[in-house]
Amino acid sequence: MQNKEQLVAVYGSLRKSLHNHSLLAGSEYIGEYITEPIYDMYSVSGSYPGLIQHGSTSIHMEVYSVTDVVATNLDRLEGYKVGQEDSNHYNKVTVDTPFGKASLYIYNHSVKSMVKVESGNWVSFKEYVKTLMY
C-alpha cells in the first residue's frame, strides 16, 4: 500500500501545544491561516471545539501534510467513517486553503446549547478559560 501525503486543516485540540497534537507527530507543518467568516466554532463540553459551516466567524487554522496512516488515525479520533455521515461525530469536507485543498472536520451534532467561541481561535479560548479557573 502506497503511503501518500494529503493536507489536513485543524482548528482545535490538534493544534500546536494542545492535547491531541501528538497525533500529528512526524507530519509536516505547512502553515497557518484565518478563514473567511463562513464558519462558527462552539465549545463541546469545554474539551474540544465543534466547527459548523454557514456561520459568520473567521477561524484560526493550521495546515499539515499527513500520511494515510495519520489521516486514518485522525478519522478515528474525530469519529468519522465513510458512508456513515448521518451518525458520525464529525464529517470530513474538502476546503480550499492558501496551501491547497485540505480535509476539514465539521461537527455533526446540534450546537444549540453550546458556548460559541467568538474569537474563532481555540488556543486563545482555552487560555482565556484557564484564567477564569484561577
Side-chain angles (χ1 to χ4, degrees):
M1 179 171 123
Q2 187 177 359
N3 201 12
K4 60 183 179 174
E5 298 282 323
Q6 54 195 288
L7 296 181
V8 63
V10 301
Y11 53 87
S13 66
L14 289 162
R15 287 181 61 192
K16 291 179 190 174
S17 79
L18 296 180
H19 66 277
N20 283 322
H21 185 71
S22 62
L23 288 172
L24 293 169
S27 298
E28 179 185 1
Y29 171 72
I30 304 297
E32 60 185 72
Y33 77 104
I34 300 173
T35 70
E36 294 295 321
I38 58 173
Y39 302 102
D40 281 328
M41 179 186 289
Y42 292 86
S43 176
V44 180
S45 71
S47 300
Y48 57 92
L51 191 71
I52 62 166
Q53 296 175 304
H54 312 297
S56 59
T57 307
S58 295
I59 306 298
H60 294 249
M61 300 271 187
E62 293 175 2
V63 177
Y64 293 85
S65 178
V66 301
T67 64
D68 290 339
V69 170
V70 171
T72 297
N73 289 336
L74 296 179
D75 286 351
R76 189 174 299 119
L77 171 72
E78 304 295 8
Y80 171 76
K81 291 183 182 176
V82 175
Q84 297 184 15
E85 284 72 16
D86 289 341
S87 61
N88 284 336
H89 193 58
Y90 287 83
N91 280 319
K92 192 161 46 171
V93 298
T94 301
V95 296
D96 291 318
T97 77
F99 315 104
K101 293 195 179 295
S103 294
L104 176 67
Y105 293 95
I106 300 295
Y107 194 62
N108 194 34
H109 299 286
S110 172
V111 294
K112 190 174 182 177
S113 63
M114 295 180 189
V115 173
K116 184 176 177 184
V117 179
E118 299 288 346
S119 69
N121 186 335
W122 186 249
V123 172
S124 63
F125 176 79
K126 291 296 284 183
E127 290 170 359
Y128 172 71
V129 169
K130 279 184 194 175
T131 66
L132 298 177
M133 297 170 66
Y134 298 103

